[in-house]
Amino acid sequence: MRGLAAVAMIMVMVAVVSADVYMHNPRGSNNRLDEATRPRRNGNRMFDSQNNCRGGYNVGNMDYVAGSELPIEWTAQHSCANPNTHCEYVLQYMCDDTSPGGLRDGTTTGTIPTNQQKCRHGDCELDFRYGRHEHKDWYFWCKRRERNKGLFTASQNLRGNSAIYTRQNPNGNRRGLECPEERDYYPYWHPTPWVDIAIMTDSPQRCEYYQKESQNVMNKGVCYAPSEPSVPTAQNNPAACAAAGNVWNETGAWNVPPPACVMPDYSRDNHLGNVPGGFPQTFNWTVPSHVGGRCALRLRYNISTADYDGWNTFADKNDRQGRKVNIKNNGEEYRFKNDPQVDFGVGFDLQLAINTAQYGRTFQDRSHAFSIVPLPDDVNPATRIANLNVRGKRGNIVQVYPAVEYDFVPNNLEVTDSDLIHIQWTGSNTNPNNNDGQGKQGTDRSNMMQIRQNDLGRNYPENIFVANITNPFFARVLALVDPGQHGGETSELDDAGTYFNGGLMRAPAAGTYNYMCTRNNNFSNRSQKGRINVSPTLRQAAKVLANRNTTLSFGREAQVNIQPGSIKGDVQEITMSTTDTFAPPPTIESKPAVTAFNSKVLSLQPHGTTFEQPITVRLNYSAPEGTDVSTLVLVRADNSKADWAMVPWATFDPSTSTVSVETLGFSLYAVATLNQELGLQREQDAVTGETVVVDSGGSVVGMPTAPDSLAPPAFRHSAVPAPREHAKSMGSGSLAVAIVVPVAIVLVAVGAATFYRMNPHKWNDHRRGATLLGTKVRMVFSGRRIKRVPANKGRFTRMDNLSESDGASLASMEEAAGGRPAVTAQMIGRNDPEDSDIGLELKAPMPKPLALSTKE
């Protein structure tokens, strides 16, 4: 354990003068609870704020998703990062999921009793009327433990020796169940229920010290009696603990990363307002994922003057008369006490407004209870979630001060089109009835609608149907005009609920979107407006867990879904990005097979990663109106330098302009347009389902295809299909094929001509047989009756779909042939009596064409 002198140094460093601090997002309570009066009723309800009694908000219960980004906003009365003072802000949280009981706001403004008999059923832990943050044991241990007597208490008369007595609280007053010594000093030397979020200090050289001493990473000491190992004793250091025959135990580290330590923004004195940039002091907190249940935030504000060396002033300077502190640091020791009158050499004494209790003063505000809810299973832990809330309360600036009027938080939200936005707000029905505002008196209500023509200077919302055409996000999300009621007063949202939770929603497409609240926009409280700036996603990372479904979105351009059991091992880190570097596409007849990309070139990394079962990749594409989807193709490459190949098992959905593919490996993917100068298009075989690329003549071109090893089993081919007739080669093609095939055709033709010249009777037999067979086959597949009519030189002409009137009987055919008996005919037809179509095949050459018009 550190020595008391070191502890005293810490204490003095955080000593402060009078300066209120108010949290606005999440809503700080300032000990207020659902009260219809401007001053709060009980400043001792939950904690010691030291703030003005008119601060705080009535309610603030919200649900924040684990891992989401929550902007914490506050205003402080005096300066920070300013030469006038030294300052620190200390941000902490605590969670308690004890059930029943636990952390809660309660329903009464009374302070929770320490006498259990004053509570229902003799148990204040289960008396839900009373709000509480710390557990009752925390306060009892504080009251039992000896205070740190190495601390500088100036001229204050502490009326007791336990840790409930401090320079700021010399009378040992109780506020809620907090421990006054722990409240006034940071870092504290015993275990506390609070987890550090951040320290914002104008002395960044002390960051290393603060982070090292944080309970996030350091165990803290406590003394236990051997007979009661769970109840701390009065001793507050190892030596005293051992002398009393007890056991000193170092414990309590939260085992989480050390708190952030950063410089605060500049602020000026006597100004509960914004810092440079036009917004309040802000820290963006990532809501922790390892805790849950009901939680609360604590903000402490510490400032000190330079009148004495706070880091080197200890208990040896304590003096009721204030004579031991060298205020002027020049050898003159005038009294450091309340309101001293001092001779400054002007001929008379001047009285200084000094309160030695306030030179070691800490201010704080705490949020109302909120919940941390788990990340939904279908959201990847690496996905950024931005909270978008409403701050402020009903009334004009004078009526609500030191709280603020309505506004959106953050007022200017910066996201990418892959991020999720959690829109959520709450409000009260019990604001003072005479506070200015629209709608029913005393009520907080909000909504969000896109501003007309997206002009932030306007005060008129966009029509919801126009917003829907602009971007579905605004019609589905931002036009929150439905009060959630069936009937009632809706024009000013009076019958809407005080709480709204829009859930997690994907950010809109890249662009800037301005929106407003239609209710809180008059000249008393104007203007509740906000902006969402959405930038395109450049890179998206994810951590895939073996037993969890993972969906990773790349804006609205692409999405990857990985089912449980797909990765090899327990965890796999992956990234998605776009690339402008890739190999040129394959060529056909020295021309590129594809001429344009219709989507981002999506790079899934690490390249070459394979999966145990198929993952789904979906890309959104764009194409000119009227584009035939068969002219688009999904292509892939192993990496940015590898050759492109078509993914034949991809599925296009023109209704949503998306293409989906199941694959077993990572690579580069893009949607491309086939070269229309060559008339290329995709075609799917109706029998095999094989997707091929054909030219304008219907001939298959040898487009390179992705290997079957990347395809799901259902899409794999057991053998490579035979190429269609007249298949073209890709690129330079195969010289051997280009020469051998034509030569073979010529040789077969020469051989056939020689055979039939030597056997002329075979020519007629083979030709008639082939003609008849071809006719029958065509009739079967076409459903049409085919009639062959003799023409000159023994050739045949074809007439399709002859009606009964166009048919011919055998007799009429013989008559038309001039009565020559050598002419025979074969009738080919269906057995259907209602079908009079006739197929007639003549089996002899005719000297002239015949015009057939006879009936059967």
Side-chain angles (χ1 to χ4, degrees), residues 152-317:
F152 175 61
T153 58
S155 63
Q156 294 298 308
N157 181 24
L158 277 59
R159 296 184 184 347
N161 290 319
S162 81
I164 67 171
Y165 300 94
T166 67
R167 180 170 63 161
Q168 186 169 323
N169 189 43
N171 295 323
N173 296 331
R174 181 173 70 88
R175 284 94 171 181
L177 295 173
E178 74 176 353
C179 176
E181 188 178 71
E182 183 272 340
R183 173 203 175 280
D184 291 354
Y185 301 99
Y186 179 85
Y188 196 48
W189 40 90
H190 296 301
T192 88
W194 295 94
V195 185
D196 295 336
I197 297 173
I199 300 105
M200 302 177 75
T201 175
D202 61 1
S203 301
Q205 68 274 15
R206 297 194 178 100
C207 281
E208 183 179 356
Y209 171 76
Y210 286 139
Q211 291 175 322
K212 180 181 177 181
E213 293 290 326
S214 168
Q215 190 179 329
N216 288 15
V217 296
M218 174 182 279
N219 285 317
K220 302 293 181 173
V222 65
C223 186
Y224 294 100
S227 60
E228 292 183 288
S230 62
V231 180
T233 63
Q235 293 75 35
N236 68 358
N237 63 83
C241 184
N246 295 324
V247 178
W248 185 261
N249 186 24
E250 298 279 345
T251 186
W254 296 113
N255 296 319
V256 295
C261 189
V262 297
M263 280 280 291
D265 289 318
Y266 171 90
S267 61
R268 66 181 179 88
D269 295 296
N270 304 315
H271 178 63
L272 276 171
N274 296 334
V275 298
F279 298 101
Q281 196 81 244
T282 303
F283 182 84
N284 289 316
W285 178 43
T286 299
V287 178
S289 301
H290 65 281
V291 295
R294 293 179 299 277
C295 306
L297 273 171
R298 174 164 77 164
L299 166 67
R300 286 184 289 172
Y301 175 40
N302 306 304
I303 64 172
S304 63
T305 70
D307 290 317
Y308 61 90
D309 185 357
W311 282 84
N312 293 287
T313 305
F314 307 107
D316 61 330
K317 299 295 185 181

